[in-house]
Amino acid sequence: MREEGYNIAIAGATGAVGGAMLEVLERRNFPIKSLRLLASSRSVGKTLKFKGQDIAVELLDADAFAGIDIALFSAGAQRSLDFAPAAAKAGAIVVDNSSAYRMDKEIPLVVPEVNPHAIADLKNHGIIANPNCSTIQMMVALKPILDKAGIKRIVVSTYQAVSGSGNPAIDELKNQVQAYAKGEKMDAEVYPHQIAFNCLPHIDSFLDNGYTKEEMKMVNETRKIFEDDTIGVTATTVRVPVIYGHSEAVNIETKSKITAAEVKALMKNAEGVELVDNPANNEYPLAIHCVGKFATFVGRIREDESIENGINMWIVSDNIMKGAALNAVQIAEVLIKDHIK
Ligand code: NAP
Protein backbone atom coordinates (compact mmCIF):
# COMPACT_ATOMS: atom_id res chain seq x y z
CA MET A 1 0.00 0.00 0.00
CA ARG A 2 1.21 3.48 -0.81
CA GLU A 3 1.75 5.64 2.21
CA GLU A 4 0.82 8.84 0.36
CA GLY A 5 -2.51 7.35 -0.79
CA TYR A 6 -4.12 6.96 -4.20
CA ASN A 7 -5.59 9.21 -6.88
CA ILE A 8 -9.29 8.43 -7.11
CA ALA A 9 -11.96 9.63 -9.56
CA ILE A 10 -15.72 9.20 -9.20
CA ALA A 11 -17.66 9.40 -12.46
CA GLY A 12 -21.28 10.23 -11.58
CA ALA A 13 -20.29 11.83 -8.26
CA THR A 14 -23.50 13.89 -8.03
CA GLY A 15 -25.81 10.85 -8.27
CA ALA A 16 -27.38 8.64 -5.61
CA VAL A 17 -24.57 6.06 -5.88
CA GLY A 18 -21.80 8.67 -6.39
CA GLY A 19 -22.84 10.45 -3.18
CA ALA A 20 -22.76 7.13 -1.32
CA MET A 21 -19.28 6.44 -2.72
CA LEU A 22 -18.04 9.67 -1.16
CA GLU A 23 -19.61 8.64 2.15
CA VAL A 24 -18.14 5.12 2.04
CA LEU A 25 -14.62 6.33 1.12
CA GLU A 26 -14.81 8.68 4.10
CA ARG A 27 -16.31 6.18 6.56
CA ARG A 28 -13.76 3.48 5.66
CA ASN A 29 -10.91 6.00 5.73
CA PHE A 30 -9.76 4.95 2.26
CA PRO A 31 -6.21 6.27 1.68
CA ILE A 32 -6.76 9.13 -0.76
CA LYS A 33 -4.09 11.40 -2.20
CA SER A 34 -6.43 13.24 -4.56
CA LEU A 35 -10.13 12.98 -5.38
CA ARG A 36 -11.60 14.04 -8.72
CA LEU A 37 -15.39 14.34 -8.90
CA LEU A 38 -16.92 14.04 -12.37
CA ALA A 39 -20.45 14.48 -13.71
CA SER A 40 -22.33 16.06 -16.62
CA SER A 41 -22.07 19.69 -17.75
CA ARG A 42 -25.22 20.30 -15.65
CA SER A 43 -23.15 19.87 -12.49
CA VAL A 44 -19.91 21.58 -13.45
CA GLY A 45 -19.42 24.45 -10.99
CA LYS A 46 -21.21 22.68 -8.13
CA THR A 47 -19.19 21.50 -5.14
CA LEU A 48 -19.50 18.35 -3.07
CA LYS A 49 -18.17 17.80 0.45
CA PHE A 50 -15.52 15.22 1.31
CA LYS A 51 -14.04 15.11 4.82
CA GLY A 52 -15.36 18.61 5.41
CA GLN A 53 -13.74 20.07 2.29
CA ASP A 54 -15.55 21.42 -0.77
CA ILE A 55 -14.46 19.73 -3.99
CA ALA A 56 -15.51 21.21 -7.36
CA VAL A 57 -17.33 18.92 -9.80
CA GLU A 58 -15.57 18.62 -13.16
CA LEU A 59 -16.79 17.44 -16.55
CA LEU A 60 -16.73 13.70 -17.24
CA ASP A 61 -14.85 13.31 -20.51
CA ALA A 62 -12.06 11.16 -21.97
CA ASP A 63 -9.36 13.56 -20.71
CA ALA A 64 -10.47 13.49 -17.08
CA PHE A 65 -8.44 10.45 -15.98
CA ALA A 66 -4.76 11.47 -16.33
CA GLY A 67 -2.86 10.31 -13.23
CA ILE A 68 -5.86 8.48 -11.74
CA ASP A 69 -5.19 5.10 -10.03
CA ILE A 70 -8.81 3.98 -9.56
CA ALA A 71 -11.92 5.33 -11.31
CA LEU A 72 -15.25 4.46 -9.72
CA PHE A 73 -17.96 4.74 -12.39
CA SER A 74 -21.66 5.26 -11.60
CA ALA A 75 -22.94 7.56 -14.34
CA GLY A 76 -25.05 5.09 -16.32
CA ALA A 77 -24.12 2.37 -18.81
CA GLN A 78 -23.69 4.70 -21.79
CA ARG A 79 -21.12 6.86 -19.97
CA SER A 80 -19.26 3.69 -18.93
CA LEU A 81 -19.16 2.51 -22.55
CA ASP A 82 -18.05 5.98 -23.68
CA PHE A 83 -15.39 6.72 -21.06
CA ALA A 84 -14.30 3.61 -19.10
CA PRO A 85 -11.95 2.40 -21.88
CA ALA A 86 -10.36 5.89 -22.01
CA ALA A 87 -9.91 5.85 -18.23
CA ALA A 88 -8.29 2.41 -18.41
CA LYS A 89 -6.08 3.55 -21.28
CA ALA A 90 -4.94 6.50 -19.16
CA GLY A 91 -3.74 3.96 -16.57
CA ALA A 92 -6.64 3.84 -14.13
CA ILE A 93 -8.35 0.64 -13.02
CA VAL A 94 -12.07 1.15 -13.51
CA VAL A 95 -14.65 -0.25 -11.11
CA ASP A 96 -17.89 0.04 -13.05
CA ASN A 97 -21.28 0.10 -11.33
CA SER A 98 -23.34 0.02 -14.51
CA SER A 99 -24.55 -2.99 -16.47
CA ALA A 100 -22.26 -2.15 -19.43
CA TYR A 101 -19.55 -4.77 -18.88
CA ARG A 102 -21.03 -7.22 -16.37
CA MET A 103 -21.61 -10.09 -18.77
CA ASP A 104 -18.47 -9.51 -20.85
CA LYS A 105 -16.55 -12.81 -20.56
CA GLU A 106 -13.25 -10.94 -20.27
CA ILE A 107 -14.35 -8.57 -17.48
CA PRO A 108 -14.40 -9.82 -13.88
CA LEU A 109 -17.72 -9.49 -12.02
CA VAL A 110 -16.87 -9.27 -8.36
CA VAL A 111 -18.38 -9.46 -4.88
CA PRO A 112 -15.32 -9.32 -2.61
CA GLU A 113 -16.76 -11.71 0.03
CA VAL A 114 -17.58 -14.25 -2.70
CA ASN A 115 -15.06 -14.24 -5.59
CA PRO A 116 -12.20 -11.83 -4.80
CA HIS A 117 -9.84 -14.08 -6.81
CA ALA A 118 -11.60 -12.87 -10.01
CA ILE A 119 -10.10 -9.38 -9.48
CA ALA A 120 -6.72 -10.66 -10.63
CA ASP A 121 -8.14 -11.51 -14.06
CA LEU A 122 -7.89 -8.03 -15.64
CA LYS A 123 -6.66 -9.26 -19.05
CA ASN A 124 -5.36 -5.72 -19.62
CA HIS A 125 -8.87 -4.28 -20.08
CA GLY A 126 -8.41 -2.51 -16.76
CA ILE A 127 -12.12 -2.79 -15.98
CA ILE A 128 -13.88 -4.64 -13.14
CA ALA A 129 -17.68 -4.80 -13.03
CA ASN A 130 -19.79 -4.38 -9.91
CA PRO A 131 -22.83 -6.69 -10.05
CA ASN A 132 -26.45 -5.57 -9.99
CA CYS A 133 -27.61 -4.49 -6.51
CA SER A 134 -30.18 -7.29 -6.10
CA THR A 135 -27.60 -9.90 -7.14
CA ILE A 136 -24.88 -8.69 -4.75
CA GLN A 137 -26.85 -9.13 -1.53
CA MET A 138 -28.12 -12.56 -2.62
CA MET A 139 -24.56 -13.70 -3.40
CA VAL A 140 -23.23 -12.61 0.00
CA ALA A 141 -25.93 -14.63 1.80
CA LEU A 142 -25.88 -17.72 -0.44
CA LYS A 143 -22.11 -18.26 -0.79
CA PRO A 144 -21.73 -20.09 2.57
CA ILE A 145 -24.66 -22.37 1.63
CA LEU A 146 -23.14 -23.01 -1.80
CA ASP A 147 -19.87 -24.04 -0.16
CA LYS A 148 -21.52 -26.28 2.45
CA ALA A 149 -24.38 -27.99 0.60
CA GLY A 150 -24.17 -27.02 -3.09
CA ILE A 151 -27.03 -25.21 -4.83
CA LYS A 152 -29.22 -26.75 -7.51
CA ARG A 153 -31.84 -24.03 -7.95
CA ILE A 154 -32.75 -20.55 -6.69
CA VAL A 155 -36.23 -18.99 -6.86
CA VAL A 156 -36.10 -15.32 -5.88
CA SER A 157 -38.72 -12.58 -5.61
CA THR A 158 -37.47 -9.07 -4.91
CA TYR A 159 -39.02 -6.02 -3.25
CA GLN A 160 -36.77 -3.25 -4.53
CA ALA A 161 -36.45 0.34 -3.31
CA VAL A 162 -36.93 3.31 -5.62
CA SER A 163 -33.38 4.56 -4.91
CA GLY A 164 -32.33 1.76 -7.27
CA SER A 165 -33.54 4.08 -10.05
CA GLY A 166 -31.47 7.02 -8.79
CA ASN A 167 -32.28 10.38 -7.26
CA PRO A 168 -35.12 11.26 -9.70
CA ALA A 169 -37.08 8.19 -8.55
CA ILE A 170 -36.67 9.10 -4.87
CA ASP A 171 -38.12 12.53 -5.68
CA GLU A 172 -40.98 10.95 -7.63
CA LEU A 173 -42.06 8.73 -4.70
CA LYS A 174 -41.85 11.65 -2.23
CA ASN A 175 -43.80 13.95 -4.57
CA GLN A 176 -46.52 11.34 -5.10
CA VAL A 177 -46.90 10.76 -1.33
CA GLN A 178 -47.20 14.52 -0.77
CA ALA A 179 -49.68 14.89 -3.64
CA TYR A 180 -51.77 12.01 -2.22
CA ALA A 181 -51.83 13.64 1.23
CA LYS A 182 -53.11 16.88 -0.32
CA GLY A 183 -55.66 15.05 -2.48
CA GLU A 184 -53.83 16.15 -5.64
CA LYS A 185 -53.04 14.25 -8.85
CA MET A 186 -49.90 12.09 -8.68
CA ASP A 187 -47.52 12.54 -11.61
CA ALA A 188 -45.46 9.56 -12.86
CA GLU A 189 -42.42 10.20 -15.04
CA VAL A 190 -39.64 7.84 -13.90
CA TYR A 191 -41.99 4.81 -13.70
CA PRO A 192 -44.80 3.92 -16.11
CA HIS A 193 -47.30 3.84 -13.20
CA GLN A 194 -47.80 5.43 -9.80
CA ILE A 195 -45.24 3.93 -7.37
CA ALA A 196 -46.68 5.38 -4.14
CA PHE A 197 -48.92 2.78 -2.41
CA ASN A 198 -48.27 0.37 -5.27
CA CYS A 199 -46.00 -2.51 -6.39
CA LEU A 200 -44.69 -2.64 -9.97
CA PRO A 201 -43.66 -6.09 -11.27
CA HIS A 202 -41.45 -4.33 -13.77
CA ILE A 203 -37.79 -3.33 -13.29
CA ASP A 204 -35.79 -2.34 -16.39
CA SER A 205 -37.18 -3.28 -19.80
CA PHE A 206 -39.06 -6.41 -20.91
CA LEU A 207 -37.29 -9.03 -23.02
CA ASP A 208 -38.65 -11.45 -25.64
CA ASN A 209 -38.76 -14.30 -23.08
CA GLY A 210 -41.26 -12.35 -20.93
CA TYR A 211 -38.74 -11.62 -18.18
CA THR A 212 -37.36 -8.16 -17.45
CA LYS A 213 -33.68 -7.31 -17.89
CA GLU A 214 -33.37 -6.99 -14.10
CA GLU A 215 -34.67 -10.56 -13.69
CA MET A 216 -32.23 -11.93 -16.26
CA LYS A 217 -29.37 -9.96 -14.63
CA MET A 218 -30.02 -11.96 -11.44
CA VAL A 219 -29.97 -15.22 -13.41
CA ASN A 220 -26.86 -14.56 -15.49
CA GLU A 221 -24.80 -12.69 -12.90
CA THR A 222 -25.41 -15.39 -10.25
CA ARG A 223 -24.04 -18.05 -12.59
CA LYS A 224 -21.02 -15.91 -13.51
CA ILE A 225 -20.13 -15.04 -9.90
CA PHE A 226 -20.65 -18.61 -8.63
CA GLU A 227 -18.78 -19.89 -11.72
CA ASP A 228 -21.48 -22.50 -12.33
CA ASP A 229 -23.77 -22.37 -15.37
CA THR A 230 -25.74 -25.38 -14.15
CA ILE A 231 -27.41 -23.54 -11.23
CA GLY A 232 -31.09 -22.97 -12.04
CA VAL A 233 -32.14 -19.40 -11.22
CA THR A 234 -35.53 -17.80 -11.74
CA ALA A 235 -36.48 -14.31 -10.58
CA THR A 236 -39.45 -11.98 -10.27
CA THR A 237 -38.28 -8.42 -9.55
CA VAL A 238 -40.72 -5.91 -8.11
CA ARG A 239 -40.37 -2.18 -7.39
CA VAL A 240 -42.01 -1.20 -4.09
CA PRO A 241 -42.59 2.20 -2.43
CA VAL A 242 -39.52 1.97 -0.17
CA ILE A 243 -36.77 4.60 -0.48
CA TYR A 244 -33.67 2.64 0.59
CA GLY A 245 -33.15 -1.12 1.00
CA HIS A 246 -33.92 -4.07 -1.24
CA SER A 247 -35.67 -7.09 0.33
CA GLU A 248 -35.66 -10.55 -1.22
CA ALA A 249 -37.62 -13.75 -0.57
CA VAL A 250 -35.24 -16.50 -1.63
CA ASN A 251 -36.00 -20.21 -1.98
CA ILE A 252 -33.01 -22.49 -2.52
CA GLU A 253 -32.87 -26.15 -3.44
CA THR A 254 -29.55 -27.51 -2.21
CA LYS A 255 -27.67 -30.55 -3.53
CA SER A 256 -27.34 -32.11 -0.09
CA LYS A 257 -29.50 -31.72 3.01
CA ILE A 258 -28.90 -28.65 5.16
CA THR A 259 -31.11 -27.83 8.13
CA ALA A 260 -32.43 -24.38 9.08
CA ALA A 261 -30.27 -24.54 12.24
CA GLU A 262 -27.18 -25.23 10.13
CA VAL A 263 -27.98 -22.31 7.81
CA LYS A 264 -28.44 -20.02 10.83
CA ALA A 265 -25.04 -21.13 12.18
CA LEU A 266 -23.46 -20.44 8.77
CA MET A 267 -25.05 -16.97 8.59
CA LYS A 268 -23.76 -16.09 12.09
CA ASN A 269 -20.19 -16.51 10.87
CA ALA A 270 -20.51 -15.39 7.25
CA GLU A 271 -18.45 -12.39 6.12
CA GLY A 272 -20.66 -9.37 5.47
CA VAL A 273 -23.80 -11.04 6.87
CA GLU A 274 -25.79 -10.16 9.98
CA LEU A 275 -28.31 -12.73 11.19
CA VAL A 276 -31.58 -11.18 12.42
CA ASP A 277 -33.85 -14.14 13.05
CA ASN A 278 -35.93 -14.08 16.19
CA PRO A 279 -39.57 -14.25 15.06
CA ALA A 280 -40.80 -14.74 18.63
CA ASN A 281 -39.71 -11.13 19.28
CA ASN A 282 -40.83 -9.90 15.84
CA GLU A 283 -37.18 -9.64 14.82
CA TYR A 284 -36.37 -10.15 11.15
CA PRO A 285 -34.51 -8.02 8.59
CA LEU A 286 -36.31 -4.81 7.61
CA ALA A 287 -35.48 -2.28 4.89
CA ILE A 288 -35.90 0.59 7.37
CA HIS A 289 -33.19 -0.91 9.60
CA CYS A 290 -30.59 -1.47 6.85
CA VAL A 291 -30.28 2.14 5.67
CA GLY A 292 -26.68 3.33 5.66
CA LYS A 293 -25.45 -0.02 7.01
CA PHE A 294 -22.75 -2.11 5.37
CA ALA A 295 -24.12 -5.58 6.23
CA THR A 296 -26.47 -7.89 4.38
CA PHE A 297 -29.20 -8.89 6.84
CA VAL A 298 -30.64 -12.42 6.76
CA GLY A 299 -33.60 -13.90 8.61
CA ARG A 300 -36.83 -15.93 8.39
CA ILE A 301 -34.63 -18.97 7.76
CA ARG A 302 -36.76 -22.12 7.56
CA GLU A 303 -36.86 -25.41 5.71
CA ASP A 304 -39.01 -25.66 2.60
CA GLU A 305 -41.30 -28.54 3.57
CA SER A 306 -42.47 -29.04 -0.02
CA ILE A 307 -39.13 -30.48 -1.23
CA GLU A 308 -36.43 -32.72 0.21
CA ASN A 309 -33.55 -30.23 0.36
CA GLY A 310 -35.01 -26.73 0.47
CA ILE A 311 -34.42 -23.54 2.45
CA ASN A 312 -36.40 -20.29 2.53
CA MET A 313 -34.84 -17.05 3.67
CA TRP A 314 -35.36 -13.27 3.67
CA ILE A 315 -32.39 -11.12 2.65
CA VAL A 316 -32.25 -7.32 3.09
CA SER A 317 -29.49 -4.83 2.33
CA ASP A 318 -29.03 -1.14 1.52
CA ASN A 319 -29.00 -1.19 -2.28
CA ILE A 320 -26.97 2.01 -2.46
CA MET A 321 -24.38 0.73 0.03
CA LYS A 322 -23.60 -3.01 -0.38
CA GLY A 323 -25.66 -3.00 -3.59
CA ALA A 324 -23.44 -0.36 -5.20
CA ALA A 325 -21.03 2.05 -3.44
CA LEU A 326 -19.71 -0.22 -0.68
CA ASN A 327 -19.10 -3.17 -3.01
CA ALA A 328 -17.18 -0.88 -5.40
CA VAL A 329 -15.05 0.57 -2.60
CA GLN A 330 -14.37 -2.94 -1.25
CA ILE A 331 -13.08 -3.89 -4.71
CA ALA A 332 -10.87 -0.79 -4.62
CA GLU A 333 -9.59 -1.90 -1.19
CA VAL A 334 -8.56 -5.27 -2.64
CA LEU A 335 -6.91 -3.46 -5.56
CA ILE A 336 -4.71 -1.30 -3.34
CA LYS A 337 -3.88 -4.22 -1.06
CA ASP A 338 -2.95 -6.77 -3.70
CA HIS A 339 -2.75 -5.30 -7.19
CA ILE A 340 -1.70 -1.63 -7.45
CA LYS A 341 1.94 -1.02 -6.69
P1 NAP B 1 -28.53 9.07 -10.55
O1 NAP B 1 -28.82 9.41 -9.13
O2 NAP B 1 -29.53 9.42 -11.59
O3 NAP B 1 -27.12 9.75 -10.94
C1 NAP B 1 -26.60 9.69 -12.24
C2 NAP B 1 -25.18 10.26 -12.27
O4 NAP B 1 -24.67 10.14 -13.60
C3 NAP B 1 -25.13 11.75 -11.91
O5 NAP B 1 -23.90 12.03 -11.27
C4 NAP B 1 -25.15 12.38 -13.30
O6 NAP B 1 -24.56 13.66 -13.34
C5 NAP B 1 -24.30 11.44 -14.08
N1 NAP B 1 -24.58 11.58 -15.51
C6 NAP B 1 -25.75 11.35 -16.13
N2 NAP B 1 -25.64 11.66 -17.44
C7 NAP B 1 -24.35 12.06 -17.64
C8 NAP B 1 -23.62 12.51 -18.78
N3 NAP B 1 -24.16 12.60 -19.99
N4 NAP B 1 -22.31 12.83 -18.61
C9 NAP B 1 -21.74 12.78 -17.38
N5 NAP B 1 -22.39 12.37 -16.26
C10 NAP B 1 -23.69 12.01 -16.40
O7 NAP B 1 -28.26 7.49 -10.74
P2 NAP B 1 -27.62 6.41 -9.71
O8 NAP B 1 -28.68 5.65 -9.05
O9 NAP B 1 -26.57 7.08 -8.90
O10 NAP B 1 -27.00 5.37 -10.73
C11 NAP B 1 -25.82 5.61 -11.45
C12 NAP B 1 -25.32 4.30 -12.04
O11 NAP B 1 -25.11 3.33 -11.01
C13 NAP B 1 -26.24 3.64 -13.05
O12 NAP B 1 -25.45 3.04 -14.04
C14 NAP B 1 -26.94 2.61 -12.25
O13 NAP B 1 -27.40 1.53 -13.04
C15 NAP B 1 -25.84 2.15 -11.33
N6 NAP B 1 -26.31 1.52 -10.12
C16 NAP B 1 -27.26 2.09 -9.36
C17 NAP B 1 -27.68 1.42 -8.21
C18 NAP B 1 -28.71 1.99 -7.32
O14 NAP B 1 -29.15 1.25 -6.43
N7 NAP B 1 -29.12 3.25 -7.49
C19 NAP B 1 -27.15 0.22 -7.86
C20 NAP B 1 -26.17 -0.34 -8.64
C21 NAP B 1 -25.78 0.32 -9.77
P3 NAP B 1 -25.50 15.00 -13.25
O15 NAP B 1 -25.88 15.13 -11.81
O16 NAP B 1 -24.58 16.06 -13.72
O17 NAP B 1 -26.67 14.77 -14.16
Side-chain angles (χ1 to χ4, degrees):
M1 289 233 295
R2 272 190 223 151
E3 219 158 83
E4 72 274 23
Y6 298 83
N7 299 313
I8 304 296
I10 301 179
T14 51
V17 175
M21 283 172 166
L22 281 168
E23 183 188 330
V24 174
L25 288 169
E26 187 164 339
R27 279 171 62 184
R28 291 175 80 90
N29 210 12
F30 192 94
I32 290 182
K33 185 176 173 199
S34 73
L35 185 57
R36 198 170 292 165
L37 304 182
L38 307 167
S40 78
S41 54
R42 293 178 289 272
S43 300
V44 174
K46 286 186 191 167
T47 57
L48 295 171
K49 282 236 184 289
F50 182 71
K51 291 193 170 170
Q53 287 197 322
D54 287 325
I55 302 183
V57 177
E58 300 171 57
L59 184 66
L60 168 60
D61 64 15
D63 300 325
F65 299 95
I68 294 296
D69 296 305
I70 299 175
L72 305 173
F73 267 70
S74 71
Q78 192 54 52
R79 263 66 61 196
S80 296
L81 291 169
D82 290 345
F83 303 119
K89 203 168 163 212
I93 297 182
V94 172
V95 182
D96 183 33
N97 252 290
S98 81
S99 57
Y101 298 101
R102 286 180 191 148
M103 292 316 297
D104 186 322
K105 284 198 168 57
E106 302 226 313
I107 306 280
L109 182 67
V110 177
V111 180
E113 295 88 341
V114 179
N115 62 337
H117 58 272
I119 293 179
D121 193 17
L122 280 172
K123 290 196 177 68
N124 294 329
H125 295 288
I127 301 173
I128 297 168
N130 217 37
N132 183 44
C133 40
S134 39
T135 311
I136 293 177
Q137 65 186 67
M138 189 169 81
M139 297 296 88
V140 171
L142 296 196
K143 172 71 163 120
I145 301 174
L146 178 79
D147 290 344
K148 175 92 181 172
I151 293 179
K152 238 191 204 170
R153 182 169 185 252
I154 302 165
V155 182
V156 53
S157 301
T158 69
Y159 307 71
Q160 293 183 225
V162 296
S163 53
S165 316
N167 284 331
I170 299 173
D171 294 340
E172 181 153 303
L173 173 58
K174 287 181 178 170
N175 290 340
Q176 287 180 359
V177 169
Q178 278 170 1
Y180 176 85
K182 291 185 208 152
E184 293 170 0
K185 184 174 158 286
M186 288 178 262
D187 295 323
E189 281 173 16
V190 176
Y191 299 116
H193 304 280
Q194 173 192 320
I195 182 64
F197 317 105
N198 204 4
C199 300
L200 307 182
H202 175 187
I203 300 186
D204 210 329
S205 45
F206 282 100
L207 300 166
D208 288 345
N209 65 358
Y211 287 82
T212 62
K213 272 192 186 167
E214 183 83 355
E215 288 160 351
M216 293 314 295
K217 282 177 204 167
M218 293 196 78
V219 174
N220 296 324
E221 293 178 19
T222 294
R223 290 178 173 157
K224 180 168 174 177
I225 295 162
F226 280 169
E227 296 166 0
D228 183 353
D229 280 343
T230 66
I231 296 181
V233 186
T234 189
T236 303
T237 57
V238 181
R239 189 74 67 193
V240 296
V242 165
I243 294 185
Y244 296 107
H246 289 352
S247 305
E248 300 176 342
V250 181
N251 175 272
I252 323 143
E253 187 175 358
T254 51
K255 288 184 180 164
S256 57
K257 180 72 189 169
I258 187 164
T259 64
E262 285 170 325
V263 173
K264 284 181 198 176
L266 283 179
M267 293 302 126
K268 259 192 194 151
N269 295 315
E271 198 187 339
V273 172
E274 204 169 303
L275 179 69
V276 185
D277 203 358
N278 191 359
N281 280 351
N282 301 330
E283 286 169 9
Y284 28 73
L286 291 176
I288 53 168
H289 292 159
C290 78
V291 182
K293 305 255 172 69
F294 288 162
T296 293
F297 298 87
V298 180
R300 299 292 327 277
I301 295 169
R302 61 223 190 268
E303 281 155 48
D304 174 353
E305 295 176 345
S306 72
I307 52 173
E308 208 174 324
N309 298 327
I311 290 288
N312 280 307
M313 58 208 295
W314 179 247
I315 303 171
V316 177
S317 194
D318 186 327
N319 53 301
I320 300 289
M321 287 293 172
K322 183 57 188 166
L326 172 64
N327 199 70
V329 172
Q330 285 176 306
I331 292 172
E333 288 170 349
V334 178
L335 285 172
I336 62 169
K337 190 170 147 275
D338 297 333
H339 299 279
I340 298 178
K341 293 278 161 287

